[in-house]
Amino acid sequence: MLEIWDQGCWKELQEVAEGKGLVRLSDRAKDLVMETHASSTVKTYTAAFSRWRSWAMEQGFVAIPATPVAVSLYLIQLVETSASASPISAALSAIKWAHQKACVQLPVNAMVEQIAVAAKRRLACTPRRKEPLNKKQVATIVGQLAGSDDCLKLRTAVMFAIGFAGFMRWDDLARIRVRDIAFRRDYMEVRLDKRKNDQLREGSLVLISKQPGELGAVALTQRLIDEANLQADDHLLSNLVKAKSGWRTKKGSLQYSRARELFLEAATGAGLQAEMFGLHSLRSGGTTAAAAAKVPQRLLKRHGGWHSEAVNSYIKESLDNMLLPSSAVSWH
């Protein structure tokens, strides 16, 4: 990214700073302007800009300051070689970002903007909604995992059980600490300090009933806490490491990427087409199962933390329910 600091305003700043013996402040200025975006965003933009720079050099163009014509041709090249609109958006954002940092004119005109819009339309793909899991599928997966003495498999079983029974997103599951759980005679309380749709940050108390046997969410949660020796401040779905004396936790909860891997492994092991399901299948599956059991909508919304009719988008209607309207007006 040295090109950024070689441009007019930065060259002037460097010259003045050197003349005044203030090079340290000049260097600090560079650090400060890079902090206008998160470090992860800067990393993404830097990588995308590097790809643009390599292409521009191969074609005999100047990467910065660039011309709208060069940028337009680059975007068209990406359209022809990309399977989605993401690379086009990333490239244009990175080029704009670099030019803004360099304090030079953006290489964007009506032609560039129209090419970007057209590229997004051409390469747009409709995301496929993941299927909800049903009770039988969850029971099979939990049964396979919980039958092992391996705490790692037990942790995955708890993820499935609580996610399904509590209508929880991954973010909800990842935040749960042992101190947020209270066991009662017939149920378990799970305190969520915040949920995605909790605009007032009032939190939510999710009640999960105790099922008979050892494969219910309550029994599995208690078993995981005991066998993994989890302490009050530990995340329920902690990173676990096998030690001589048993299991110990590493800092933090499972990451989304690892949780997704474990989910797909378990789904595949149960004979499911893993590509049809995702972590959100737990939330939508539990909601669908409860709706099929005629649980009132107000209770569905309270249990899942919804404050609008968005709950309906999580419910996959059964065939019998889909036939109800026409059956109701059947004349013979």
Side-chain angles (χ1 to χ4, degrees):
M1 298 301 292
L2 293 177
E3 298 97 327
I4 290 179
W5 317 125
D6 290 338
Q7 304 307 311
C9 64
W10 291 106
K11 289 177 67 176
E12 181 182 356
L13 178 65
Q14 187 70 22
E15 290 172 359
V16 172
E18 289 176 353
K20 299 289 187 180
L22 300 174
V23 175
R24 182 185 64 81
L25 296 181
S26 173
D27 292 339
R28 181 56 180 149
K30 297 174 184 178
D31 294 335
L32 283 172
V33 299
M34 296 300 280
E35 292 177 9
T36 57
H37 292 78
S39 59
S40 58
T41 302
V42 171
K43 184 177 180 180
T44 299
Y45 284 167
T46 300
F49 182 81
S50 295
R51 291 190 290 270
W52 149 249
R53 179 179 54 195
S54 297
W55 183 89
M57 291 177 63
E58 289 176 3
Q59 305 304 323
F61 293 121
V62 177
I64 186 168
T67 65
V69 169
V71 173
S72 295
L73 292 172
Y74 180 58
L75 296 183
I76 294 170
Q77 170 75 14
L78 291 178
V79 170
E80 293 181 347
T81 58
S82 302
S84 73
S86 179
I88 290 85
S89 297
L92 187 54
S93 295
I95 293 170
K96 287 181 177 179
W97 168 80
H99 281 68
Q100 288 172 340
K101 296 305 173 196
C103 304
V104 296
Q105 183 174 352
L106 298 184
V108 177
N109 60 12
M111 177 171 59
V112 173
E113 292 176 344
Q114 291 182 82
I115 289 174
V117 171
K120 292 176 182 179
R121 288 179 62 86
R122 173 176 289 192
L123 297 174
C125 56
T126 303
R128 181 176 179 180
R129 183 183 290 270
K130 299 298 184 182
E131 289 293 310
L133 287 167
N134 59 43
K135 291 192 291 185
K136 184 177 180 181
Q137 291 166 336
V138 172
T140 299
I141 293 171
V142 168
Q144 290 178 347
L145 294 169
S148 170
D149 293 331
D150 188 342
C151 260
L152 299 180
K153 292 184 177 180
L154 177 58
R155 180 187 60 188
T156 304
V158 169
M159 178 179 76
F160 272 86
I162 293 187
F164 188 84
F167 303 176
M168 293 188 189
R169 299 180 179 85
W170 168 247
D171 285 350
D172 298 330
L173 291 167
R175 291 191 186 104
I176 300 174
R177 295 179 184 268
V178 174
R179 65 168 179 258
D180 299 323
I181 301 171
F183 294 98
R184 308 303 183 192
R185 189 182 70 175
D186 298 319
Y187 62 93
M188 172 176 71
E189 297 177 351
V190 181
R191 165 66 64 180
L192 300 176
D193 289 336
K194 62 179 180 179
R195 303 188 86 164
K196 181 179 178 181
N197 47 2
D198 181 16
Q199 297 179 350
L200 299 180
R201 294 293 185 262
E202 294 177 339
S204 177
L205 187 65
V206 179
L207 308 183
I208 298 178
S209 63
K210 183 181 291 185
Q211 298 174 246
E214 299 179 351
L215 298 181
V218 177
L220 289 173
T221 300
Q222 183 68 73
R223 180 183 158 195
L224 176 63
I225 293 172
D226 293 341
E227 294 187 12
N229 193 31
L230 298 179
Q231 304 303 305
D233 287 336
D234 290 332
H235 287 88
L236 180 64
L237 302 181
S238 288
N239 289 298
L240 297 175
V241 178
K242 184 70 173 177
K244 290 183 179 180
S245 58
W247 293 89
R248 63 181 180 84
T249 61
K250 293 175 65 177
K251 184 177 180 180
S253 177
L254 280 175
Q255 296 298 306
Y256 170 82
S257 57
R258 181 56 181 151
R260 182 175 180 276
E261 289 175 0
L262 294 172
F263 177 96
L264 295 177
E265 287 176 8
T268 301
L272 303 180
Q273 292 180 272
E275 67 274 9
M276 296 177 60
F277 302 93
L279 284 168
H280 224 58
S281 298
L282 298 172
R283 180 170 169 82
S284 61
T287 308
T288 295
K294 310 301 181 184
V295 174
Q297 189 187 72
R298 73 178 189 281
L299 296 181
L300 295 179
K301 291 169 69 174
R302 178 171 181 173
H303 195 63
W306 288 287
H307 299 289
S308 69
E309 300 307 306
V311 60
N312 294 324
S313 66
Y314 285 79
I315 299 171
K316 183 175 182 179
E317 294 290 357
S318 65
L319 177 60
D320 288 344
N321 284 348
M322 294 289 284
L323 292 174
L324 279 176
S326 60
S327 298
V329 298
S330 177
W331 52 89
H332 65 85

